[in-house]
Amino acid sequence: MKSFTKELWFETKRPKEFINITSTVEELLKESGIKEGFVLVNAMHITASVFINDDESGLHHDFDKWLEKMAPHDPVNQYHHNTYETNADAHIKRQIMGREVVVAITEGKLHFGPWEQIFYGEFDGCRRKRVLVKIIGE
Ligand code: ZN
């Protein structure tokens, strides 16, 4: 069994962003040489997510609106977590959108369903953060 590990770094310009990382994961899969197996992609920070969905700007806007309804950033004093920092909403958003995805690899390609793409979801940005990519198989 082969194994391939890489950490990707992000530093978003805005506090909240969705970034399509599908082509990066595809490049790493090619580099790994693995044809059959699995790839795990996970956010390494508790205020960021990795998830799979459609690459459609309207949908991303809808996600953002929905997340702000579920866990509004303001007023910051509504959260017990917000003492020396004010990112309680980002922790909750990460919990909703998830930590990681696993994608099957078949014949050297990510075995997606229709329209599936991998995204990094940032909820407390403007600082350096990492995503782990781990590929195992043959
Ligand atoms: Zn925090």
Side-chain angles (χ1 to χ4, degrees), residues 46-47 81-82 84-88 91 124 127:
I46 51 182
T47 54
H81 179 69
N82 287 342
Y84 63 93
E85 56 179 4
T86 57
N87 65 359
H91 288 275
D124 185 22
R127 49 180 167 166

Side-chain angles (χ1 to χ4, degrees), residues 57-70:
S57 61
L59 181 64
H60 295 177
H61 177 80
D62 293 339
F63 279 149
D64 185 45
K65 245 177 87 180
W66 178 72
L67 287 166
E68 274 314 313
K69 228 181 266 173
M70 302 277 282

